[in-house]
Amino acid sequence: ILAKQNSLGLAIGVDKSAHRINRNVEGFDALEESTNFHLIRADLNDFYRLVKAANWPVTKHYILYPNPWPKAKHLQRRWHGSAVFPQMTSIGQQLILRSNWRLYLEEFQQAAGLVHLKGAIEAVPVDVKNALTPFEAKYQASQQVCYQLVLVR
């Protein structure tokens, strides 16, 4: 969906799980001629550092339905508590997060302010058919509200 919406750009989907990368790929065969998207398996901590070091010209940077690690003892596993947070938040002109955990986005929004990013949290319109991830489709189908935080400098 993101590759179609940004046909002049390159969309790269990254996940550390080979299972997730190879799952829910129905319809991708029809897009084989398309060269503007790639799905790759990588550790995002390393990937973010490499993208930053290479100074890639990123327009939009999405973080879609990250694991919220809800226990307080797992704060460092949340993106806004991780050591790579300064690098990941400096990538792209826009940083867009989606989650069904509004509190996660509120925490991220507070942390983003420390690196001079500002933005608002809004509900994502319900559109199960055009959900950006299988998680979003599942949450919307079960009538959970999904939220989006769009951050800019």
Side-chain angles (χ1 to χ4, degrees):
I1 289 171
L2 292 174
K4 284 181 186 178
Q5 290 174 353
N6 300 281
S7 61
L8 298 178
L10 174 64
I12 302 172
V14 184
D15 199 297
K16 68 180 179 180
S17 165
H19 175 72
R20 293 234 186 269
I21 289 291
N22 295 315
R23 196 174 147 189
N24 300 307
V25 294
E26 300 84 16
F28 280 19
D29 294 342
L31 298 173
E32 278 184 1
E33 292 104 35
S34 175
T35 59
N36 78 322
F37 80 92
H38 297 285
L39 299 176
I40 62 171
R41 180 178 177 213
D43 179 304
L44 279 168
N45 291 288
D46 296 332
F47 187 79
Y48 285 133
R49 288 183 179 103
L50 292 169
V51 167
K52 178 65 178 167
N55 200 28
W56 279 8
V58 177
T59 304
K60 293 181 182 179
H61 170 198
Y62 287 83
I63 301 173
L64 302 172
Y65 300 89
N67 185 334
W69 294 102
K71 293 181 182 176
K73 69 181 182 179
H74 293 140
L75 174 63
Q76 290 181 317
R77 294 183 186 179
R78 298 179 203 156
W79 283 120
H80 48 280
S82 73
V84 77
F85 184 75
Q87 290 90 358
M88 74 179 297
T89 54
S90 66
I91 296 169
Q93 298 169 10
Q94 278 189 328
L95 174 55
I96 302 153
L97 281 83
R98 285 192 174 184
S99 178
N100 63 322
W101 286 63
R102 185 179 175 98
L103 180 61
Y104 185 92
L105 296 184
E106 290 170 351
E107 289 177 356
F108 197 103
Q109 184 181 37
Q110 288 293 314
L114 299 174
V115 292
H116 311 292
L117 292 174
K118 299 197 183 314
I121 299 170
E122 297 179 347
V124 173
V126 176
D127 186 358
V128 176
K129 220 172 167 182
N130 291 305
L132 293 184
T133 73
F135 288 115
E136 185 169 290
K138 177 178 80 171
Y139 298 144
Q140 288 186 345
S142 68
Q143 299 182 348
Q144 292 185 47
V145 178
C146 294
Y147 301 95
Q148 176 171 277
L149 169 62
V150 178
L151 296 163
V152 294
R153 294 200 190 291

